[in-house]
Amino acid sequence: MNPILTAIQKSAIRIKHAIDVKDIGYSQEQNSSGETQLQLDIQSDLIIEEELSQIEGVHTIASEEKEEPMILNENGHYFIAFDPLDGSSLVDVNLSVGSIFGIYEGAFTPEKMVASCYVVYGPRVELVFAYEGKVKLYLLQNGEFEYVKEIHLNEKGKINAPGGTQQCWAPFHKTMIDSFFARGYRLRYSGGMVPDLHQILLKGGGLFSYPGASDKPEGKLRMLFEVFPFAFIFETAGGKAVDGTIRVLEKNPRHVHDTSPCFFGSCDEINEVISVYAGQQ
Ligand SMILES: O=P(O)(O)OC[C@H]1O[C@](O)(COP(=O)(O)O)[C@@H](O)[C@@H]1O
Ligand SMILES: [Mg+2]
Ligand SMILES: [Mg+2]
């Protein structure tokens, strides 16, 4: 696992450099979800592909920016799915963005997930890595990622980060979100899941939601590249991740780019989501 973590760290340093210096232009290409790719999306994707292709243990990679998975080494046993630059449309307004990685052994199915990782490119560059029952935070300093601390979620938090188009939410979902605010939860939503979830993890808890709604019945966030890696991190940190009804890590995408509604948070808030959603069945 160490060579993979090192490759992710090298990629992060190169992507941070690209963010700092690159013109932010749209390319002529669209990704598999029909979104126009930014040149930075494509460049970040190539950086990660290049770094991971140097690691013998990596069998196959799948990326939000690639139509199909790509075999790197038939003899490797790790399968790595990544979102090279999450929230990339926020770069031009200078908000934080991230890279997300899910690491699997033998296949891209959640029960084969062994580790996951994300990098936040904000005022500082931080990396969070979940592996062997621990979630560890690292900070980039003088070109190296230094270990900071372990991350643990409290039973209950104070942050509410509600995603999706509100006019398209189901009425019961809106009532639930409003009731968190009515109990004093603070709105924290930047539009980038990496900094939004990072904030919940580091402030001890809360709720992030991206529900199924009338405009996007299966939500927006992609299982392999966005939902599963964060679900693994939240569960390892003592929280939960569900689609409203079941653990997202019990779902199986039929296609690499499939999405799922998702709720991440500390146990108290997620238990409430499950009970509200159960009342709608
Ligand atoms: O604009 P919306 O609908 O709130 O969506 C925000 C979500 O979309 C994302 O930006 C999707 O990721 P990409 O930028 O990689 O497509 C998430 O980071 C974020 O949570
Ligand atoms: Mg993304
Ligand atoms: Mg992306």
Side-chain angles (χ1 to χ4, degrees), residues 41 64-65 83 85-87:
D41 287 319
E64 187 180 283
E65 305 304 338
D83 179 352
L85 201 57
D86 180 77

Side-chain angles (χ1 to χ4, degrees), residues 95-120:
L95 286 170
S96 298
V97 293
S99 301
I100 312 170
F101 303 83
I103 302 160
Y104 304 79
E105 258 175 16
F108 287 119
T109 52
E111 71 276 9
K112 302 273 184 196
M113 195 167 212
V114 289
S116 81
C117 183
Y118 67 84
V119 181
V120 198

Side-chain angles (χ1 to χ4, degrees), residues 1 73 77 85 103 106 139 158 174 178 184 194 197 201 215 246-247 260 277:
M1 190 58 67
N73 176 8
H77 59 283
L85 201 57
I103 302 160
L139 173 66
K158 295 184 182 136
K174 179 162 174 42
D178 288 346
V194 175
L197 288 166
L201 283 163
D215 57 341
I246 59 165
R247 284 176 67 227
S260 169
Y277 271 67

Side-chain angles (χ1 to χ4, degrees), residues 133-150:
K134 291 188 174 140
V135 182
K136 294 182 176 175
L137 171 69
Y138 297 83
L139 173 66
L140 181 63
Q141 277 191 321
N142 303 319
E144 305 234 326
F145 280 92
E146 287 179 14
Y147 173 73
V148 180
K149 63 174 182 179
E150 257 186 58

